[in-house]
């Protein structure tokens, strides 16, 4: 839908008569807006996900999917024990892209009687995890990167991480050992990134780290800590198993657009052997 500011103000006013919450979201900036009587946007003094009592962006952000596909999406969301049904619509206002989220409190007692609120909430969470989580390591998966992160502004560092000679680990110690290695690598990364940062299992033994609004020096320090911590992983069952990792990093204004450059930096690191290569690129 394409609106002028005045048309959007009228549309939101009409929807407010029907829905419990109507909000305009710029998901790329995780910002929420209201519109005053003059049709001017007023930015909320908090991130858009705060309305759900969350400290980081939603794992299943349908506004992100709306922005990517320009289609309508729906989901259930939770505030405490209350369950809400959310409809997200794609809109353009004076050349800028937004999502309008229409939120209604869900009160279907028949459904709750059959499943119970807690079980219903667990079912929804389990469904979201199946969509966006890698079943082995619990890292986010490639689909999550494509649908939830590519539109997000503020990600200024992208890191491609690959285990050196992982096939040799599988051939020498078996695939069960290989799986344990992958899980431990994710644990190390999780322990050394912030809650706003993300680890994605790209495929096989390749992972992607995404850092939000982070200085170059801190990225360098974190990657070196991660590299050394992975090198120090020890298994009682496989005492001679040594894990080596190489990383390629690009630091730029919109890092999600520079995956190929980060991947190329990774291969430079592999040629050097268990190394980190960092490039700073102008967007």
């Amino acid at each position: 839908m394409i609106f002028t500011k005045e048309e959007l103000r009228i549309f939101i006013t009409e929807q407010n008569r029907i829905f419990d919450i109507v909000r305009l979201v710029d998901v790329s900036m995780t910002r929420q807006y209201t519109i005053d009587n003059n049709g001017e946007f007023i930015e909320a003094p908090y991130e858009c996900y705060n309305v759900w009592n969350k400290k980081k962006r939603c794992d299943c952000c349908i506004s992100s999917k709306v922005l990517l596909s320009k289609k309508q999406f729906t989901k259930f969301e939770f505030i405490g024990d209350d369950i809400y049904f959310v409809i997200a619509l794609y809109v353009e206002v004076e050349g800028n892209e937004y999502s309008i989220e229409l939120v209604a409190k869900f009160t279907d007692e028949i459904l709750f009687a059959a499943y119970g609120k807690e079980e219903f909430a667990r079912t929804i969470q389990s469904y979201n995890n199946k969509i966006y989580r890698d079943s082995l390591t619990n890292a986010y998966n490639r689909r999550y990167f494509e649908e939830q992160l590519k539109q997000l502004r503020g990600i200024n560092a992208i890191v491609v991480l690959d285990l050196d000679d992982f096939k040799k680990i599988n051939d020498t110690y078996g695939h069960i050992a290989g799986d344990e290695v992958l899980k431990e690598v994710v644990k190390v990364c999780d322990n050394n990134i912030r809650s706003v940062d993300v680890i994605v299992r790209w495929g096989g033994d390749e992972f992607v780290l995404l850092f939000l609004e982070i200085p170059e020096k801190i990225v360098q320090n974190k990657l070196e800590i991660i590299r050394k911590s992975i090198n120090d992983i020890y298994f009682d069952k496989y005492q001679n198993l040594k894990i080596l990792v190489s990383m390629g990093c690009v630091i730029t204004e919109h890092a999600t657009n520079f995956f190929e450059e980060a991947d190329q930096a990774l291969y430079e690191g592999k040629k050097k052997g268990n190394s980190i290569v960092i490039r700073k690129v102008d967007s």
Side-chain angles (χ1 to χ4, degrees):
M1 293 185 285
I2 300 176
F3 290 108
T4 64
K5 285 184 177 180
E6 177 59 19
E7 289 171 340
L8 182 62
R9 185 188 68 79
I10 293 170
F11 178 80
I12 289 177
T13 300
E14 291 173 346
Q15 299 306 313
N16 272 318
R17 299 190 182 103
I18 303 170
F19 293 92
D20 298 301
I21 302 171
V22 179
R23 62 194 198 128
L24 184 69
V25 175
D26 179 354
V27 69
S28 67
M29 297 291 290
T30 64
R31 306 307 295 173
Q32 174 181 324
Y33 299 89
T34 56
I35 301 180
D36 64 19
N37 291 332
N38 297 319
E40 296 303 318
F41 288 10
I42 301 173
E43 184 176 325
Y46 50 80
E47 306 288 350
C48 62
Y49 48 77
N50 291 144
V51 73
W52 306 118
N53 292 338
K54 295 184 178 181
K55 295 181 179 179
K56 63 177 184 176
R57 70 188 304 272
C58 305
D59 283 356
C60 183
C61 174
I62 57 172
S63 285
S64 182
K65 295 171 72 173
V66 160
L67 195 63
L68 184 67
S69 66
K70 297 177 174 53
K71 296 179 181 178
Q72 174 179 316
F73 286 91
T74 62
K75 72 169 181 176
F76 291 99
E77 196 51 85
F78 310 92
I79 303 178
D81 293 332
D82 294 325
I83 300 174
Y84 292 84
F85 183 65
V86 187
I87 304 170
L89 311 172
Y90 173 82
V91 297
E92 289 184 25
V93 184
E94 298 183 353
N96 295 314
E97 298 178 313
Y98 301 94
S99 169
I100 292 181
E101 292 186 0
L102 311 173
V103 185
K105 189 173 182 180
F106 193 68
T107 57
D108 192 334
E109 297 302 330
I110 295 176
L111 181 61
F112 292 153
Y115 295 98
K117 278 190 176 183
E118 290 184 4
E119 182 61 30
F120 184 74
R122 281 196 294 268
T123 300
I124 296 298
Q125 184 61 49
S126 174
Y127 174 75
N128 290 338
N129 284 341
K130 286 179 181 178
I131 292 176
Y132 290 129
R133 293 279 184 175
D134 173 57
S135 59
L136 175 66
T137 65
N138 203 41
Y140 289 107
N141 58 27
R142 191 165 176 172
R143 180 176 181 177
Y144 183 76
F145 176 86
E146 295 290 338
E147 293 186 359
Q148 298 291 328
L149 298 178
K150 289 186 76 172
Q151 307 297 330
L152 186 64
R153 297 181 198 173
I155 294 176
N156 67 313
I158 181 169
V159 181
V160 182
L161 179 156
D162 188 83
L163 304 187
D164 298 336
D165 296 322
F166 182 68
K167 183 178 183 300
K168 187 176 180 180
I169 291 175
N170 279 329
D171 291 344
T172 304
Y173 298 96
H175 288 279
I176 292 176
D179 288 349
E180 290 301 313
V181 166
L182 295 175
K183 288 189 281 189
E184 288 301 314
V185 166
V186 169
K187 287 179 183 177
V188 166
C189 292
D190 270 338
N191 289 338
N192 290 284
I193 61 176
R194 305 163 301 172
S195 62
V196 295
D197 304 323
V198 177
I199 177 169
V200 174
R201 186 180 180 191
W202 199 254
D205 60 315
E206 189 170 66
F207 297 87
V208 174
L209 303 176
L210 298 149
F211 292 93
L212 187 71
E213 297 177 350
I214 192 168
E216 180 179 356
K217 188 172 182 179
I218 294 178
V219 172
Q220 291 176 328
N221 291 339
K222 283 185 174 293
L223 295 188
E224 184 59 29
I225 291 169
I226 288 171
R227 186 185 70 82
K228 288 181 178 179
S229 298
I230 289 174
N231 291 168
D232 291 339
I233 291 174
Y234 177 80
F235 296 96
D236 289 332
K237 291 182 181 179
Y238 319 107
Q239 295 183 9
N240 295 321
L241 193 160
K242 184 70 174 176
I243 308 169
L244 300 177
V245 62
S246 300
M247 288 181 260
C249 173
V250 168
I251 298 174
T252 186
E253 186 177 351
H254 300 300
T256 51
N257 297 330
F258 287 85
F259 175 84
E260 291 184 2
E261 285 82 352
D263 200 42
Q264 184 60 42
L266 163 70
Y267 282 100
E268 290 180 22
K270 277 188 169 294
K271 288 177 182 177
K272 295 179 180 179
N274 188 219
S275 184
I276 300 168
V277 174
I278 297 177
R279 295 177 181 172
K280 198 161 185 179
V281 178
D282 293 329
S283 295

